[in-house]
Amino acid sequence: MRALRIGNASGFYGDRFDAMREMLTGGELDVLTGDYLAELTMLILGRDRLKDPGAGYARTFLRQLEECLGLAHERGVRIVANAGGLNPAGLAVAVGELAERLAIPVRVAHVEGDDLTARHPGSLAAHAYLGGFGIAACLREGADVVITGRVTDAALVTGPAAAHFGWRPHDYDRLAGAVVAGHVLECGTQATGGNYAYFQDGDVRHPGFPLAELHEDGTAVITKHPGTGGLVDIGTVTAQLLYETSGGRYAGPDVTARLDTIRLTQDGPDRVRVDGVRGEPPPPTLKVGLNRLGGFRNEVTFVLTGLDIDAKAALVREQMAAALGKVAEVRWDLVRTDRPDAPTEETASALLRLVVRDPDQEAVGRALSGAAVELALASYPGFHVLAPPGKASPYGVFEGVYVPHGAVDHVAVLHDGRRVPVAPAHETAVLDDVPEPVPPEPLPPGPTRRAPLGLVAGARSGDKGGNANVGVWARTEEAWRWLAHELTTGRFQQLIPESRELTVTRHTLPDLRALNFVVEGILGEGVAAQHRFDPQAKALGEWLRSRHLDIPEALL
């Protein structure tokens, strides 16, 4: 059976608008997917739905289809997207109306069952992560467009693959291969040179979106349309495989994929073969993402210029103390961007950032604003702020909980209105830790030089709720032999000081020459809570790469 060509045209709500057209016109495709959802997106859509019960889906997807639905129909490309968000039925109706208005004869189906908000009082949105068999049911019955709500990102690939190849729920190795391909595709151009540690290896000014040539046995080739920007090599694929994962087992509702079995091979220019992936039964529960309003936040950044930076910071903190006395959470961060004898005022200045949170909107609203503004003529010399503090804004909190598979009514709603129940997983297995693999032979002793880790290792980092993961990989076997022994959990905590009081777990993936660190609680209550300067830990890996260690000169 020929390979199934599955492309991606969106990695998040707000991704490149023209990507759908680029993918439909740039080369051959069978299925085009789009991932529009993230933990923060679900909160945003939940707030939209509070204002308008008919909202709750990604409106840009509908605008993209207005331009591209005819193209997809002409080329025989099916479209599968989780743009339905909190309201997949509403988006399916809107797509059907659009098709009718454009006189394009397409069949639109959608997937329901993920919405558990009614079972979780106090939540703004509570949605289970569904698998791909609801999508597969829609496609098997002839759907041209399938709209979902909260499915796993990889389900956008496992569903079309299961439908095309006739896979069944017990085909774990095949499904695991599709999960890995789906995980590589889900973030769009992150697989083709975007956000890549070695971005200077190729022209990434306008990277093309990725696609997978998926085979019946679950193997895949990751590539992109000819002539598009960016690059696809073992490094770009490795980076995306490590993104927002942890150990050797990558659990999902259809299958648990063994990341420690993946083999990557360069299969020609901009082509990486992915094979060897093994699969196991899924865990007995489904993850449910709970989003709720956590309270209100506000912030102001004071600019401190020239001499006596620490003393100026201490003065303004003392002056603000009375106004902040009853606020639930107060955080001060002094960012020393200043330098001695600076040639510009900007480079002579440091930033003192104040962030406050409280259940009471007034406590962090006008009260904070008034106290900060009143210091304008009564504080340190050179007093000014980046912007006046505004009104308090609500912030969200994300929490992951778990329910049995049978607690969710997974349903494929076909284009003709028929409702097809999707059976829960027939076999499950409790996740166990993968045994720590035998480390490689260490490098022989030799001279070292103090240098940044990033000279010999790449990294990519991201968020899962309040936790962050940092994947680090070596590009050569020699660098791996050093990295596996040098970058211990203790060394990681030494290099990333804010992790020292937190639980950090290291996972080893020898076939990828990679280490993956999970830092628990570093993001507080999730991205919507904006707990730290980099609330999604997007740059945590790049900070780690900039830290200096004693590196063998042979690697430099």
Side-chain angles (χ1 to χ4, degrees), residues 280-292:
E280 299 171 341
T285 56
L286 296 175
K287 182 179 178 180
V288 178
L290 295 184
N291 287 276
R292 59 181 173 82

Side-chain angles (χ1 to χ4, degrees), residues 175-512:
L175 288 166
V179 164
V180 169
H183 180 58
V184 175
L185 296 188
E186 69 186 51
C187 288
T189 53
Q190 278 197 171
T192 58
N195 298 353
Y196 181 47
Y198 300 106
F199 65 96
Q200 297 178 84
D201 285 358
D203 184 354
V204 298
R205 289 174 296 175
H206 192 81
F209 276 68
L211 64 93
E213 297 171 355
L214 197 60
H215 295 269
E216 194 277 337
D217 63 356
T219 62
V221 172
I222 306 300
T223 183
K224 60 188 182 70
H225 282 326
T228 55
L231 69 156
V232 178
D233 64 15
I234 289 176
T236 66
V237 173
T238 298
Q240 182 54 28
L241 284 173
L242 297 174
Y243 182 65
E244 295 182 347
T245 60
S246 54
R249 284 186 168 94
Y250 186 60
D254 297 322
V255 64
T256 294
R258 289 291 298 264
L259 301 185
D260 57 346
T261 63
I262 298 172
R263 293 192 300 262
L264 301 180
T265 310
Q266 197 73 39
D267 195 46
D270 291 320
R271 292 177 63 84
V272 173
R273 181 170 297 279
V274 184
D275 62 12
V277 186
R278 303 299 302 273
E280 299 171 341
T285 56
L286 296 175
K287 182 179 178 180
V288 178
L290 295 184
N291 287 276
R292 59 181 173 82
L293 295 178
F296 296 87
R297 71 181 300 279
N298 206 346
E299 67 175 89
V300 59
T301 300
F302 302 89
V303 182
L304 315 174
T305 304
L307 305 178
D308 306 318
I309 296 294
D310 289 328
K312 290 172 180 175
L315 173 59
V316 76
R317 290 184 63 163
E318 289 181 24
Q319 290 178 308
M320 291 292 295
L324 302 177
K326 295 182 180 180
V327 174
E329 182 182 347
V330 177
R331 176 166 177 162
W332 292 94
D333 290 295
L334 178 59
V335 184
R336 295 300 299 263
T337 52
D338 58 303
R339 67 187 68 171
D341 195 21
T344 66
E345 185 175 332
E346 288 88 348
T347 55
S349 300
L351 303 176
L352 179 63
R353 182 171 180 246
L354 167 63
V355 179
V356 292
R357 294 183 179 84
D358 197 276
D360 180 9
Q361 185 174 8
E362 176 65 22
V364 294
R366 284 181 293 180
L368 170 72
S369 301
V373 170
E374 287 171 2
L375 294 180
L377 304 179
S379 189
Y380 58 85
F383 179 98
H384 66 285
V385 296
L386 287 184
K391 297 179 180 179
S393 59
Y395 70 88
V397 171
F398 177 86
E399 179 185 4
V401 299
Y402 295 85
V403 299
H405 283 259
V408 174
D409 296 322
H410 192 177
V411 177
V413 184
L414 306 182
H415 61 279
D416 58 8
R418 284 180 293 148
R419 300 177 64 85
V420 179
V422 179
H426 70 290
E427 180 185 13
T428 62
V430 176
L431 293 179
D432 293 321
D433 291 333
V434 174
E436 183 68 14
V438 177
E441 189 73 20
L443 285 180
T448 62
R449 188 192 323 158
R450 197 77 176 168
L453 172 63
L455 294 183
V456 295
R460 178 167 286 167
S461 54
D463 63 308
K464 279 292 183 185
N467 301 339
N469 94 288
V470 184
V472 186
W473 78 94
R475 297 213 281 186
T476 67
E477 190 61 29
E478 291 74 19
W480 168 239
R481 290 170 60 189
W482 172 78
L483 183 71
H485 292 274
E486 174 65 21
L487 196 56
T488 62
T489 299
R491 180 73 75 206
F492 180 95
Q493 291 179 302
Q494 176 186 347
L495 297 173
I496 306 296
E498 64 182 296
S499 73
R500 292 175 186 172
E501 304 302 319
L502 303 173
T503 298
V504 178
T505 306
R506 187 182 103 152
H507 303 277
T508 306
L509 299 169
D511 289 345
L512 299 178

Side-chain angles (χ1 to χ4, degrees), residues 128-148:
Y129 289 73
L130 302 180
F133 281 99
I135 296 170
C138 294
L139 293 172
R140 284 174 178 149
E141 293 294 329
D144 301 299
V145 178
V146 181
I147 305 298
T148 79

